Amino acid sequence: MTQGLVVALSGGIGGAKLALGLSRVLPPEELLIVANTGDDFEHLGLSISPDLDTLMYTLAGVDNPETGWGRRDETWSFMATLATLGGEDWFRLGDRDLAVHVERTRRLRLGETLSGITAEFCRRLGVGPRLLPMSDDRVRTRVLTEQGWIDFQDYFVRQQCRPVVRELGFEGADAARAHPEFLAALHSDRLRAVVICPSNPFISVEPILAI
C-alpha cells in the first residue's frame, strides 16, 4: 500500500544529493522531482539544461562525484578541438554530456516538449522517480549587474560570480505555465510532503516559485 506522494523542488548539485537520498528511501511512484529550468540557456546552438541534467545524471548513477556536475569518466576532445579553433570554451561540455545536448536540441526543434524528452532520457538511463522540468515554457534567470542585465550562466560560469548582483529576474516567468503534472501533484489527495532541496534558494527554488 502506497504511503503518498513526495514532491521535491530542486536545483542542481546540492538539490541532486537530497533527491538521490529520497530516491533510495521512497518507491519511484511516490517521488516526483521538479527541476529548476531557469538556468537553461542556448550555447553553441545547443539547448543546455544544467540542473535537469545534474539531477538526471545523479539519479542514474553516472554523475561525476569530483565536480558534482557532468558525467563520470568524461572525455574532453570536443572542448579541446573547439579551443584550437577559437570557439567559446568557457562553458565546459564533455563528450558524453554533449550527446545529451545535441539530442535534446534536435528533438526540441522537431516540436517535442522538454518534459517528454527528459522522460525518455531518464527511461534510457534507468532513472526510477519521475523527473520533471518546472515548465515546458521558456524561463530564463537574468542577473542585473553594473554591466546591465546578463544571462545567469554568463554571470555564474563565464564571469565566475565577480560582478556585484543588484537584482535577479526570471524572464518569461509571467507567461510560463507550471507543468500540469507538477500542479496535479500539488493538488493531489496523495500528496504527503513538499520538500525544498538544499540548493541556492534565489537561483534554484525561486524560479520554480515564480511560475
Side-chain angles (χ1 to χ4, degrees):
M1 181 177 179
T2 59
Q3 298 298 310
L5 179 65
V6 173
V7 176
L9 311 184
S10 181
I13 297 173
K17 293 177 180 178
L18 180 55
L20 178 62
L22 291 171
S23 75
R24 289 177 173 174
V25 298
L26 293 171
E29 66 274 10
E30 293 184 16
L31 178 60
L32 173 66
I33 302 163
V34 179
N36 165 51
T37 56
D39 291 7
D40 290 16
F41 74 124
E42 287 70 43
H43 183 60
L44 303 176
L46 300 173
S47 296
I48 315 292
S49 296
D51 287 358
L52 259 181
D53 289 344
T54 295
L55 282 159
M56 180 173 67
Y57 294 155
T58 300
L59 293 165
V62 298
D63 58 307
N64 186 333
E66 295 180 3
T67 62
W69 54 269
R71 299 281 297 263
R72 69 180 60 186
D73 301 322
E74 188 61 278
T75 55
W76 301 94
S77 298
F78 170 77
M79 293 305 304
T81 304
L82 183 67
T84 64
L85 298 173
E88 292 189 49
D89 61 351
W90 56 268
F91 193 87
R92 303 277 289 166
L93 298 173
D95 300 329
R96 295 173 187 271
D97 187 40
L98 182 64
V100 170
H101 307 312
V102 169
E103 182 63 4
R104 176 191 293 120
T105 303
R106 183 186 73 83
R107 294 187 181 196
L108 286 172
R109 289 175 179 169
L110 290 174
E112 296 185 41
T113 62
L114 181 59
S115 58
I117 297 166
T118 301
E120 173 66 8
F121 287 175
C122 286
R123 184 186 69 80
R124 290 180 175 273
L125 290 174
V127 174
R130 183 80 161 105
L131 174 61
L132 276 181
M134 65 187 195
S135 176
D136 278 324
D137 297 323
R138 175 190 172 99
V139 178
R140 296 292 182 264
T141 299
R142 303 267 288 164
V143 180
L144 180 61
T145 71
E146 62 270 19
Q147 307 167 26
W149 287 98
I150 59 175
D151 290 337
F152 174 73
Q153 296 297 342
D154 188 338
Y155 160 78
F156 186 64
V157 179
R158 190 174 73 84
Q159 302 194 52
Q160 299 182 9
C161 305
R162 286 188 294 266
V164 175
V165 177
R166 305 190 184 281
E167 186 179 344
L168 290 174
F170 306 111
E171 185 179 272
D174 289 344
R177 298 157 296 177
H179 194 280
E181 288 186 45
F182 178 21
L183 293 178
L186 293 178
H187 292 92
S188 172
D189 293 338
R190 294 182 56 236
L191 181 65
R192 178 167 35 148
V194 175
V195 176
I196 298 178
C197 294
S199 302
N200 184 312
F202 298 108
I203 57 174
S204 295
V205 178
E206 192 169 347
I208 302 175
L209 301 181
I211 62 169

